[in-house]
Amino acid sequence: MKIARAIIRDISNFYGWYCISLIVWFLLAGEEVITYLKFADKINIINYEAFLMSNKKTAAALICTSLLSGTAFADTMTIKLATDTGSPDTPQGESLQKLAEIIESRTKGTDDEIDVQVFYGGELGDQKEVFDLHIVGEIDMMINFPMTSYDSRMGVRNVPYMFVDWDQALDAYKPGGWLNTIYQDIYSDNGLRFFGAYPEGFAGVATADSYATNISEANNTKVRVTANFPNPSTLGAMGYTPVPMTFGEVYTSIQTGVVDGDAGNNIYWTYSYFKDVIDYYVDTRHYFVTAAISMNEKSWEDLDDNQKSIVAEAAEVISREQFENAQKTDAEYRKKAGNAGIKYIDLTEEQMSSMANEVRSDVWPILDKEYPKSLKQAIMENAPAI
């Protein structure tokens, strides 16, 4: 407020074409300017507040712009809510809309009214661009896959075989759960608030022509993996030849024989995108595919206590419902895959235990190459026996 008052004092002395031209420019591009100024502050190129104080004419134009566009001093709090992947008709897109509806319905007509602006996957940029906006607070709240561009620990969800069933996953990610606590600390260190997991299911191995239920049968079959640590090491320990590539390359790569399959998705994504080029899906459960529900910490602090309670409760509702819905979606798409001619293979308890413990013994020792030893230790202490 001190800075705002100092800038506003200067507005009365700020006349002429310079003012008019800046205001017109900021009306067209003001939000983008603010975004990049804040991002520059985040990566230590400038000090955002010092910049505004030393460039009061520019700041005054921004304030004039806000007044003219009706965004400054509004009675209603606005939250920008986004996802990095889901379109409106996907489970993630539908959850995004429901989250917005819960928040708006519980605050409508009160002094704490919140207007939620919803942005679906691709509307504000690619995954990294959208996460950058979330980090600097231009997107207040998200359902997205944790990005490792700022902190490699965000990728801890990719550690293989931390658990192999839904009850274990829920126990880890529920409020107070051991992975929930870990992610709260990681997000807090990056200026974000972690509300909970948004699970999609366990990853399996989808292949054409042949399949494997143990390490020797994998026989160095080439499968696509995401490049995130430790995914290539995980599939190598499972007996495959891992080939890192982006999602958009997978279909053609399987079709042309560049790879024999994909090992980075659950059955929903496998069926939805690759059903025409794969013959088998083995439910290896090598890692748990989950997004996260989060909020920029500065945006969170802009809320009053009642608003914070409503937003946190709404996020918990969406997370809890998704644990139930994702299991139903898994069962539904398992049937769809079968009807499409894809053979779905469940591992026996013995096969799962053998695979999981072999991969744990190969991959877990290298976790401290990327993560702090304390994080590795927390995983080893809390992950259930398989």
Side-chain angles (χ1 to χ4, degrees):
M1 288 304 295
K2 206 183 301 180
I3 292 172
R5 283 195 296 270
I7 293 168
I8 291 168
R9 279 200 304 269
D10 288 333
I11 294 177
S12 60
N13 300 317
F14 186 42
Y15 300 99
W17 287 107
Y18 181 77
C19 175
I20 295 170
S21 62
L22 272 181
I23 291 172
V24 170
W25 182 53
F26 284 135
L27 278 169
L28 297 173
E31 288 193 2
E32 287 79 3
V33 173
I34 294 170
T35 296
Y36 286 112
L37 287 176
K38 289 184 177 180
F39 183 66
D41 177 88
K42 176 69 179 179
I43 60 177
N44 299 317
I45 293 177
I46 64 166
N47 181 287
Y48 179 67
E49 294 186 355
F51 176 85
L52 293 184
M53 287 299 295
S54 62
N55 295 271
K56 292 181 182 178
K57 288 185 177 181
T58 301
L62 283 170
I63 291 176
C64 289
T65 300
S66 294
L67 288 166
L68 288 172
S69 62
T71 58
F73 312 118
D75 292 330
T76 301
M77 169 72 69
T78 298
I79 289 178
K80 293 180 181 177
L81 171 65
T83 181
D84 56 1
T85 51
S87 59
D89 59 349
T90 62
Q92 201 168 105
E94 291 171 358
S95 292
L96 203 71
Q97 188 58 48
K98 183 169 184 179
L99 177 57
E101 289 171 358
I102 293 173
I103 294 171
E104 288 185 336
S105 66
R106 293 185 182 178
T107 60
K108 187 175 178 63
T110 72
D111 292 340
D112 293 325
E113 186 165 350
I114 298 174
D115 173 58
V116 184
Q117 298 176 358
V118 176
F119 301 91
Y120 298 99
E123 292 184 352
L124 298 176
D126 63 25
Q127 283 184 297
K128 185 181 183 305
E129 289 168 338
V130 176
F131 192 66
D132 288 343
L133 293 174
H134 190 37
I135 286 284
V136 300
E138 288 307 307
I139 293 175
D140 304 296
M141 197 170 183
M142 285 199 75
I143 299 177
N144 75 306
F145 292 99
M147 298 291 291
T148 58
S149 49
Y150 291 89
D151 190 333
S152 63
R153 296 176 301 162
M154 288 278 191
V156 69
R157 68 191 180 94
N158 295 314
V159 172
Y161 289 112
M162 289 192 290
F163 30 74
V164 294
D165 67 45
W166 283 94
D167 288 340
Q168 293 170 342
L170 178 57
D171 188 60
Y173 277 113
K174 69 183 180 184
W178 65 274
L179 258 181
N180 187 300
T181 301
I182 286 173
Y183 262 116
Q184 282 183 352
D185 292 342
I186 294 170
Y187 270 61
S188 178
D189 289 346
N190 288 276
L192 302 174
R193 177 166 292 262
F194 178 82
F195 290 118
Y198 184 89
E200 294 197 338
F202 287 91
V205 179
T207 51
D209 301 326
S210 64
Y211 68 92
T213 57
N214 58 53
I215 294 171
S216 61
E217 287 178 355
N219 196 29
N220 293 315
T221 299
K222 292 181 294 182
V223 292
R224 172 262 181 177
V225 297
T226 57
N228 309 69
F229 177 86
N231 291 333
S233 297
T234 296
L235 271 294
M238 292 169 66
Y240 296 92
T241 297
V243 182
M245 68 173 62
T246 62
F247 185 82
E249 300 174 274
V250 180
Y251 185 96
T252 302
S253 295
I254 298 174
Q255 191 177 44
T256 58
V258 174
V259 294
D260 302 300
D262 172 73
N265 289 287
N266 65 338
I267 190 60
Y268 169 81
W269 291 105
T270 298
Y271 172 83
S272 298
Y273 288 90
F274 311 131
K275 62 179 179 291
D276 296 330
V277 291
I278 62 127
D279 300 306
Y280 304 98
Y281 183 90
V282 182
D283 188 18
T284 52
R285 303 195 168 204
H286 49 282
Y287 74 91
F288 190 61
V289 182
T290 183
I293 307 174
S294 60
M295 189 166 191
N296 179 276
E297 192 64 40
K298 289 181 180 178
S299 300
W300 170 258
E301 291 303 327
D302 286 340
L303 304 177
D304 64 31
D305 289 344
N306 185 49
Q307 290 171 326
K308 286 177 180 178
S309 177
I310 290 169
V311 169
E313 288 173 6
E316 187 176 334
V317 166
I318 297 300
S319 177
R320 186 171 60 249
E321 284 187 355
Q322 181 58 18
F323 267 95
E324 299 170 1
N325 293 338
Q327 293 178 70
K328 294 175 183 176
T329 301
D330 248 16
E332 177 187 349
Y333 278 82
R334 179 191 289 225
K335 290 180 180 177
K336 287 187 175 184
N339 293 337
I342 299 168
K343 185 175 182 180
Y344 191 104
I345 299 99
D346 288 301
L347 297 183
T348 66
E349 285 188 20
E350 183 180 348
Q351 289 169 332
M352 182 70 74
S353 178
S354 175
M355 179 83 74
N357 287 297
E358 183 69 28
V359 172
R360 279 184 172 189
S361 65
D362 280 1
V363 178
W364 285 18
I366 67 170
L367 293 180
D368 51 16
K369 289 183 178 180
E370 193 78 14
Y371 307 139
K373 290 184 177 179
S374 59
L375 180 53
K376 173 185 172 181
Q377 189 62 33
I379 293 169
M380 296 179 69
E381 289 176 357
N382 288 284
I386 298 174

